[in-house]
Amino acid sequence: MPWAIRAPHSKNLTMLFKMLYRAILWTGIASLVVACTNPPPAAPSAVVQAPPKAQAPTQPPAPALGAGITGRVSDATTPREYRRDGASHLYSKNGTRIFPGKMPPLLHAIGVLQVDINGTGAITGLRWMRAPSHAPEVVAEIERTVRSAAPFPVPVKMGRVTYTDTWLWHKSGRFQLDTLTEGQL
């Protein structure tokens, strides 16, 4: 019957299943690589911050240049700009612990940390947006590293700032920050 649908040969069917299996496998591997190289997407912010009130007693005014500031100063006007200053400060305090060159494809841990800095460069809070829960020792070490780097550059144009950075942690204990990373192999 020329019009009838013929069943595929078992050899062709086996080859088709192998090709399908390989395609699914490579798609999964590609998804894992992309997930490890890209920072997690920013969560939509449901909280809208109101503009600062004039002369609010709870907010200290931004310190003027030379008004008791002894450390580094940041001229950043947004948290995103300050992130580069914060990352550079952490790199300068931890030069021997920075992973040289491109990071390997598989990392020991990746964490996303928010750091609150006040008008004097002191840390007022640390919050994990994505903690590497499989490696609690890395969480503790990152927090210790950030706290020991204080005081941070003073955000003179903002008064205080909360900035976010992604920590890329190698099993050797060396790290890079996403802001200043050299990439990944």
Side-chain angles (χ1 to χ4, degrees):
M1 288 185 236
W3 52 270
I5 299 174
R6 289 188 250 169
H9 292 83
S10 64
K11 187 175 186 179
N12 290 342
L13 190 59
T14 303
M15 187 177 356
L16 181 65
F17 280 125
K18 283 183 180 179
M19 289 172 44
L20 182 61
Y21 174 77
R22 287 181 183 147
I24 292 171
L25 180 67
W26 283 110
T27 302
I29 290 172
S31 298
L32 284 173
V33 169
V34 168
C36 289
T37 58
N38 291 335
S45 176
V47 178
V48 177
Q49 292 182 342
K53 296 178 184 176
Q55 298 181 347
T58 58
Q59 281 190 359
L65 287 176
I69 298 174
T70 58
R72 291 179 48 188
V73 173
S74 170
D75 289 325
T77 57
T78 65
R80 189 166 187 84
E81 289 176 7
Y82 186 87
R83 186 169 84 167
R84 182 167 291 281
D85 294 336
S88 297
H89 177 73
L90 284 163
Y91 271 41
S92 70
K93 297 287 186 178
N94 297 282
T96 60
R97 298 182 60 207
I98 305 303
F99 190 90
K102 292 189 175 200
M103 299 290 281
L106 297 176
L107 298 173
H108 178 60
I110 298 173
V112 181
L113 182 67
Q114 280 190 333
V115 182
D116 299 328
I117 307 293
N118 70 9
T120 63
I123 297 168
T124 57
L126 298 176
R127 281 180 311 289
W128 286 99
M129 294 179 68
R130 179 181 169 195
S133 56
H134 68 284
E137 73 283 359
V138 172
V139 171
E141 184 59 24
I142 289 173
E143 289 178 359
R144 188 198 66 73
T145 300
V146 172
R147 290 187 193 282
S148 68
F152 277 72
V154 176
V156 293
K157 293 189 177 176
M158 293 182 285
R160 63 181 177 179
V161 65
T162 298
Y163 81 97
T164 306
D165 212 336
T166 302
W167 289 71
L168 309 171
W169 199 269
H170 187 261
K171 63 184 174 185
S172 67
R174 292 181 172 204
F175 66 90
Q176 286 184 7
L177 295 174
D178 183 57
T179 303
L180 300 176
T181 188
E182 296 181 35
Q184 196 171 10
L185 297 174

